[in-house]
């Protein structure tokens, strides 16, 4: 048994093709918006949201839409208004992809309930054979000596059983075909605890991320998922500060100034 800590890594985020946007704006008008935003320090994710929101009203600059005589030129203020007016569909254009490493299947079973605006690719224990049982214990559990002693014995027994089954089924003998390995590995996973550390690739758009950060850091949420989404929330404050500017954090709970649209 190996003690592990949940790790969150951001591995992909939006990148704008400014040449394509400029070509479009040269045709319909609004190139001044592009020139201004490209010279600003705002991340591409936020620029993409602003572009998409301005598409709705053709509000890249005054005069393009006769009904719009004045436009906001401060991008953070513009996006703050998008959040405040609950124009949530605009937030769906920007996707972020994370690796959640050393998280339990307790967490992933809860996480995949959030389907709208999300995509998942999880390590499959039908194919991935276990030779150890990585496991996360919360701090309060690590401080309980009797609990830890008993729990570690259980995990060591399960780990040893995985190794025994691999030998018993002759999985490493030369000539053993993959179909047999897959069949036996699928059976062996039934003896893996739900708290086993695993990995999942998680992609979500900003609308979904705001919702899940709020839901899964709430006081009643399971403690591991609270830990993970606190990490995600802190990453997103760096990656899309204008979109997460309305949050306050109280005792680990992320509270938005404006509820999800």
């Amino acid at each position: 048994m190996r003690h592990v800590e949940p790790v969150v890594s951001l591995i992909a985020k939006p990148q704008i093709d400014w040449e394509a946007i400029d070509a479009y704006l040269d045709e319909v008008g609004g190139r001044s918006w592009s020139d201004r935003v490209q010279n600003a320090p705002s991340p591409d994710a936020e620029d993409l949201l602003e572009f998409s929101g301005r598409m709705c009203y053709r509000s890249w600059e005054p005069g393009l839409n006769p009904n719009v005589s004045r436009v906001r030129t401060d991008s953070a203020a513009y996006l703050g208004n998008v959040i405040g007016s609950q124009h949530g569909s605009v937030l769906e254009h920007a996707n972020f992809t994370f690796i959640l490493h050393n998280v339990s299947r307790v967490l992933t079973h809860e996480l995949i309930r959030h389907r709208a605006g999300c995509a998942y690719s999880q390590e499959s224990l039908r194919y991935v054979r276990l030779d150890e049982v990585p496991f996360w214990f919360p701090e309060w559990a690590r401080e309980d000596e009797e609990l830890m002693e008993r729990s570690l014995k259980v995990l060591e027994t399960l780990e040893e059983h995985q190794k025994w089954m691999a030998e018993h089924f002759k999985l490493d003998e030369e000539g053993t075909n993959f179909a047999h390995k897959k069949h036996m590995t699928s059976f062996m996973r039934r003896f893996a605890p739900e708290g086993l550390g695993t990995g999942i690739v998680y992609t979500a758009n900003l609308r979904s991320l705001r919702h899940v950060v709020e839901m899964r850091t709430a006081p009643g949420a399971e403690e591991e998922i609270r830990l993970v989404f606190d990490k995600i929330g802190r990453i997103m404050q760096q990656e899309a500060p204008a979109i997460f500017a309305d949050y306050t954090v109280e005792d680990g709970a992320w509270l938005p100034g404006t509820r999800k649209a």
Side-chain angles (χ1 to χ4, degrees), residues 2-244:
R2 176 169 58 89
H3 176 78
V4 294
E5 290 289 333
V7 176
V8 177
S9 301
L10 177 66
I11 61 171
K13 57 186 177 181
Q15 182 177 11
I16 289 177
D17 182 338
W18 285 106
E19 289 186 3
I21 283 184
D22 288 345
Y24 171 78
L25 293 177
D26 285 340
E27 180 178 344
V28 303
R31 179 63 182 268
S32 62
W33 172 84
S34 175
D35 293 339
R36 172 172 52 80
V37 170
Q38 286 189 65
N39 291 321
S42 52
D44 276 11
E46 292 184 354
D47 296 343
L48 175 61
L49 300 188
E50 184 177 352
F51 175 82
S52 303
R54 291 187 184 278
M55 173 71 80
C56 299
Y57 303 98
R58 192 175 284 196
S59 61
W60 293 286
E61 60 186 38
L64 297 177
N65 176 358
N67 290 334
V68 176
S69 59
R70 188 175 55 174
V71 299
R72 290 180 173 86
T73 58
D74 182 280
S75 293
Y78 177 88
L79 292 172
N81 183 65
V82 169
I83 298 295
S85 62
Q86 298 189 344
H87 196 359
S89 61
V90 172
L91 305 185
E92 296 175 9
H93 291 289
N95 289 276
F96 290 78
T97 299
F98 304 87
I99 295 174
L100 308 186
H101 177 49
N102 288 331
V103 296
S104 72
R105 300 179 87 81
V106 173
L107 182 145
T108 61
H109 290 345
E110 292 199 10
L111 176 62
I112 61 175
R113 293 174 61 194
H114 299 284
R115 297 178 295 279
C118 300
Y120 304 97
S121 295
Q122 183 169 1
E123 180 180 63
S124 172
L125 296 186
R126 189 181 186 193
Y127 296 94
V128 178
R129 193 201 323 166
L130 298 172
D131 57 6
E132 62 177 355
V133 179
F135 207 89
W136 172 74
F137 286 96
E139 185 175 355
W140 65 263
R142 295 197 296 268
E143 294 172 352
D144 187 326
E145 292 185 6
E146 183 177 4
L147 173 66
M148 289 300 296
E149 181 180 357
R150 289 175 173 269
S151 298
L152 291 175
K153 285 181 180 178
V154 171
L155 292 174
E156 288 167 2
T157 297
L158 291 174
E159 191 172 86
E160 179 59 34
H161 190 51
Q162 291 289 332
K163 295 175 181 177
W164 178 85
M165 286 189 290
E167 183 177 350
H168 180 71
F169 297 140
K170 300 179 173 56
L171 299 188
D172 291 321
E173 289 192 3
E174 187 175 353
T176 301
N177 64 47
F178 184 76
H180 175 70
K181 290 181 179 181
K182 183 179 74 171
H183 183 201
M184 295 300 103
T185 300
S186 181
F187 171 78
M188 292 162 65
R189 65 180 166 169
R190 297 175 182 274
F191 298 90
E194 195 169 26
L196 171 80
T198 188
I200 189 169
V201 177
Y202 167 49
T203 298
N205 65 50
L206 283 173
R207 187 181 194 180
S208 179
L209 281 170
R210 280 181 57 90
H211 171 64
V212 183
V213 165
E214 177 186 354
M215 294 289 291
R216 295 304 184 173
T217 61
E222 201 276 334
E223 59 189 318
E224 182 189 10
I225 207 167
R226 292 192 76 200
L227 170 67
V228 166
F229 273 92
D230 178 72
K231 293 176 183 287
I232 289 175
R234 295 183 188 282
I235 289 173
M236 294 314 304
Q237 279 191 324
Q238 297 296 315
E239 294 294 331
I243 303 303
F244 284 79

